[in-house]
């Protein structure tokens, strides 16, 4: 899989959760990229994604800034 | 025609082009010829206790046909008696009252030494002083030049001593042989400097002869490090000027030095904060009359921009220079190969495939003709293909509108911190 395809795959997964109303609840950065926790709107379900591509990490970071601005 | 006059900390000159303190300003004969050619100012070759030089002093690097891409010297400050220099400075100033003559000075780091030489050179009518805290060879071994210039406390103290007696503006010339030039620039300001100039030469060994195994240059089979200058050092100098220009505690005019070879280089330095520029290597390579092209080119440039005085461009690019953390991570450019211009040399493909991001494909059209195409989705906009391309206009770097808002690294890190602070603990 090309890096671009990998990014698209990561972006689609992120968009899937955001589209269902999840919020980014935590980011753990490590040597393999970032582990991003998503929190369901009802507050009792979390989902986790490993985001490895640089563009993927830029993408969720941009969403996080937008999310923080909306607080 | 635009007004090219500058005023650097009170030192006025008819244009921003000064000769730097170096072999071209060794004598009154040379400086007067330079002024006749059109140079606006000259920083006299450094005065101090007259030294002894060695024979075989210069070396240069030619690169791919360009002679003197870099230049190296192991010559020291003036070897002529102070009285001789002062007499010639007086005569030169008398002949050229509207041109700037700045005396470059270097003495031992002792208050009485600085007081003595400042008074003596100001008595003959110099327009300003430049303290040489930069010369990296020979003098540094004696505690002067860059040996002083690498220690902020010594820069501040010696500047202060000079300012105790100086009646003319004091420029402090800084060495690049230091990790952070803003540290010494700030020290100069704290000592009362009216202006700073940079860069002096960079420690260098030009080469080793493969047959004799001697250094280049060598003196009877032995070599010592010299000072590197010329076009090769321009990016280093430009960065140092820019770093000082944007520093909040460095608020004095800057005289830009380092590889300036033409009017375009001068404009770049002035846009990055220099009030004027000093030139040496280009004059040593091509003679004093290169200043004619510099003056004409600068004047035409300003006219074409509708700018009436050269001082209007000073520092205009400084706000565009920042820290990496303030750059937009969501800004994207990609390479676009213009197949009607491309000669299919494949250098871009090789460079990208071997050393970058493997996004330039070698393809064949329906007529069997080879062509190169960028897979834009995989291109990171590194510029390498356009850098190695031998044909102007064959590769353009094109901005790609981003769907994402501006996001800097600093903003991203701040957002991550907010997220961490607001994290909701949930047990799955």
């Amino acid at each position: 899989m090309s890096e671009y395809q990998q990014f698209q795959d990561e972006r689609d997964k992120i968009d899937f959760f955001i589209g269902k109303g999840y919020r980014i609840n935590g980011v753990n950065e490590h040597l393999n990229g970032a582990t991003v926790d998503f929190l369901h709107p009802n507050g009792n379900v979390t989902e986790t994604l490993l985001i490895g591509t640089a563009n993927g990490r830029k993408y969720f970071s941009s969403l996080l800034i937008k999310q923080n601005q909306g607080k | 025609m635009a007004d090219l006059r500058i005023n650097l900390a009170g030192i006025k000159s008819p244009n921003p082009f000064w000769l730097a303190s170096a072999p071209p300003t060794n004598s009154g004969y040379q400086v007067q010829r330079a002024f006749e050619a059109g140079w606006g100012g000259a920083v006299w070759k450094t005065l101090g206790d007259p030294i002894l030089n060695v024979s075989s002093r210069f070396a240069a690097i030619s690169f791919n046909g360009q002679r003197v891409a870099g230049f190296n010297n192991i010559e020291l400050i003036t070897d002529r008696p102070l009285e001789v220099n002062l007499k010639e400075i007086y005569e030169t100033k008398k002949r050229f009252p509207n041109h700037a003559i700045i005396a470059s000075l270097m003495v031992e780091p002792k208050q009485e030494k600085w007081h003595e030489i400042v008074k003596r050179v100001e008595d003959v009518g110099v327009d300003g002083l430049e303290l040489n805290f930069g010369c990296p060879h020979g003098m540094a071994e004696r505690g002067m030049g860059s040996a002083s210039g690498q220690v902020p406390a010594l820069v501040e103290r010696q500047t202060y001593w000079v300012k105790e007696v100086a009646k003319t503006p004091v420029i402090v010339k800084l060495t690049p042989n230091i990790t952070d030039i803003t540290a010494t620039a700030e020290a100069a300001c704290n000592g009362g400097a009216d202006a700073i100039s940079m860069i002096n030469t960079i420690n260098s060994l030009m080469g080793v002869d493969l047959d004799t195994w001697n250094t280049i240059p060598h003196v009877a089979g032995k070599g010592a490090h010299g000072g590197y200058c010329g076009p090769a050092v321009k990016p280093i100098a430009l960065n140092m000027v820019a770093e000082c220009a944007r520093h909040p505690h460095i608020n004095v005019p800057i005289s830009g030095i380092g590889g300036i070879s033409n009017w375009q280089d001068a404009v770049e330095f002035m846009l990055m904060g220099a009030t004027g520029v000093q030139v040496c290597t280009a004059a040593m390579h091509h003679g004093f009359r290169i200043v004619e092209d510099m003056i004409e080119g600068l004047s035409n440039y300003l006219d074409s921009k509708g700018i009436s005085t050269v001082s209007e461009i000073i520092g205009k690019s400084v706000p565009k220079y920042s820290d990496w953390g303030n750059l937009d991570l969501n800004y994207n450019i990609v390479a676009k190969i213009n197949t009607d211009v491309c000669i299919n040399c494949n250098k871009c493909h090789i460079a990208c495939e071997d050393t970058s991001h493997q996004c330039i494909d070698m393809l064949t059209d329906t007529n069997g003709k080879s062509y190169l195409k960028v897979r834009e989705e995989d291109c990171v906009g590194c510029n390498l293909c356009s850098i190695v391309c031998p044909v102007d206009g064959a590769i353009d770097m094109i901005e790609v509108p981003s769907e994402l808002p501006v996001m800097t690294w600093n903003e991203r890190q701040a957002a991550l911190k907010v997220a961490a602070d607001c994290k909701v603990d949930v047990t799955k």
Side-chain angles (χ1 to χ4, degrees):
Chain A
M1 189 190 291
S2 76
E3 190 165 322
Y4 179 67
Q5 287 172 323
Q6 193 181 340
F7 160 60
Q8 283 187 311
D9 185 50
E10 291 176 346
R11 186 181 61 186
D12 289 346
K13 288 175 181 170
I14 293 169
D15 285 345
F16 175 79
F17 289 125
I18 297 295
K20 285 189 171 297
Y22 282 74
R23 295 170 58 83
I24 297 172
N25 188 43
V27 176
N28 176 31
E29 296 193 281
H30 45 71
L31 291 174
N32 288 323
T35 301
V36 185
D37 293 332
F38 293 86
L39 180 66
H40 190 271
N42 68 16
N44 58 6
V45 179
T46 61
E47 301 289 348
T48 299
L49 291 177
L50 171 62
I51 306 298
T53 67
N55 280 337
R57 287 181 284 117
K58 287 181 185 177
Y59 186 68
F60 81 68
S61 302
S62 297
L63 295 180
L64 180 60
I65 289 175
K66 189 177 169 188
Q67 176 181 296
N68 291 345
Q69 287 168 344
K71 278 188 174 175
Chain B
M1 182 178 168
D3 183 354
L4 299 187
R5 289 176 298 176
I6 64 162
N7 182 338
L8 189 143
I11 304 171
K12 296 174 183 171
S13 74
N15 63 57
F17 302 111
W18 295 0
L19 283 173
S21 172
T25 59
N26 188 51
S27 67
Y29 170 76
Q30 291 167 285
V31 174
Q32 289 178 35
R33 287 190 69 236
F35 286 165
E36 286 168 0
W39 292 90
V43 186
W44 209 273
K45 187 170 171 70
T46 303
L47 309 174
D49 290 337
I51 54 74
L52 300 172
N53 269 314
V54 294
S55 181
S56 189
R57 304 176 190 179
F58 304 149
I61 281 180
S62 299
F63 189 78
N64 271 359
Q66 183 187 340
R67 303 286 291 176
V68 197
F71 192 85
N72 171 83
N73 87 89
I74 56 171
E75 184 172 294
L76 306 185
I77 66 173
T78 187
D79 59 3
R80 306 190 311 152
L82 183 64
E83 279 304 330
V84 174
N85 278 303
L86 294 181
K87 180 170 177 287
E88 293 178 13
I89 290 172
Y90 174 79
E91 289 166 352
T92 306
K93 189 65 199 172
K94 197 172 173 185
R95 253 196 87 192
F96 295 91
N98 297 321
H99 289 64
I101 298 181
I102 295 89
S104 173
L105 306 176
M106 183 195 292
V107 292
E108 292 171 57
K110 294 177 181 171
Q111 185 182 32
E112 63 275 17
K113 287 277 189 182
W114 282 109
H115 282 189
E116 179 193 2
I117 197 162
V118 166
K119 288 173 184 169
R120 292 187 68 182
V121 298
E122 286 194 333
D123 280 348
V124 296
V126 296
D127 298 292
L129 310 171
E130 184 181 78
L131 315 186
N132 183 344
F133 295 149
C135 187
H137 48 272
M139 307 310 290
E141 294 164 24
R142 306 168 202 181
M144 293 177 270
S146 65
S148 281
Q150 290 166 335
V151 182
L154 274 177
V155 171
E156 180 175 342
R157 190 179 313 150
Q158 291 180 95
T159 305
Y160 182 79
W161 288 337
V162 170
K163 285 294 292 179
E164 284 178 326
V165 292
K167 295 170 184 163
T168 61
V170 175
I171 306 168
V172 173
K173 186 171 183 177
L174 300 170
T175 175
N177 299 308
I178 186 168
T179 306
D180 179 5
I181 200 165
T182 65
T184 44
E186 195 174 348
C189 294
N190 292 340
D194 299 294
I196 50 179
S197 58
M198 69 199 73
I199 59 173
N200 207 305
T201 53
I202 301 170
N203 288 346
S204 60
L205 169 58
M206 289 303 267
V208 179
D209 188 297
L210 297 185
D211 293 323
T212 64
W213 300 356
N214 279 330
T215 62
I216 302 171
H218 73 91
V219 179
K222 277 194 177 174
H225 80 266
Y228 195 49
C229 54
V233 311
K234 191 194 112 185
I236 298 166
L238 191 58
N239 171 59
M240 290 185 170
V241 166
E243 290 295 346
C244 288
R246 75 186 183 94
H247 194 285
H249 300 142
I250 300 170
N251 296 305
V252 295
I254 299 170
S255 181
I257 314 166
I260 296 161
S261 305
N262 50 44
W263 69 266
Q264 292 97 329
D265 294 339
V267 169
E268 288 181 58
F269 273 78
M270 294 185 79
L271 287 171
M272 269 303 169
T275 297
V277 296
Q278 299 184 33
V279 177
C280 172
T281 306
M284 293 179 78
H285 189 185
H286 302 294
F288 288 149
R289 290 191 62 181
I290 58 163
V291 76
E292 294 171 11
D293 287 343
M294 290 177 162
I295 291 170
E296 186 181 355
L298 176 60
S299 182
N300 290 341
Y301 171 77
L302 295 173
D303 289 347
S304 72
K305 291 274 186 190
I307 297 170
S308 58
T309 65
V310 70
S311 58
E312 290 176 49
I313 69 171
I314 298 168
K316 284 291 185 285
S317 293
V318 175
K320 294 174 178 283
Y321 203 54
S322 185
D323 294 325
W324 190 94
N326 294 324
L327 306 183
D328 180 10
L329 292 166
N330 287 329
Y331 174 79
N332 287 316
I333 57 171
V334 296
K336 182 176 179 297
I337 298 172
N338 301 311
T339 50
D340 53 333
V341 180
C342 173
I343 59 172
N344 282 310
C345 70
N346 296 331
K347 281 193 77 72
C348 60
H349 168 80
I350 294 165
C352 187
E353 199 70 12
D354 288 356
T355 65
S356 195
H357 286 76
Q358 302 81 49
C359 66
I360 299 179
D361 293 328
M362 298 171 69
L363 304 170
T364 307
D365 67 15
T366 52
N367 297 320
K369 188 182 172 195
S370 298
Y371 68 101
L372 295 152
K373 192 172 192 314
V374 177
R375 291 194 317 282
E376 293 187 3
E377 66 272 20
D378 290 323
C379 176
V380 301
C382 72
N383 294 329
L384 180 62
C385 56
S386 66
I387 289 168
V388 302
C389 178
V391 182
D392 288 341
I395 300 178
D396 292 323
M397 301 305 298
I398 307 291
E399 278 189 22
V400 179
S402 176
E403 296 170 356
L404 300 173
V406 171
M407 178 184 69
T408 68
W409 170 260
N410 292 336
E411 289 166 344
R412 177 185 186 272
Q413 297 312 100
L416 291 181
K417 186 174 184 309
V418 169
D421 292 343
C422 300
K423 183 170 182 174
V424 176
D425 283 328
V426 178
T427 305
K428 271 193 174 178

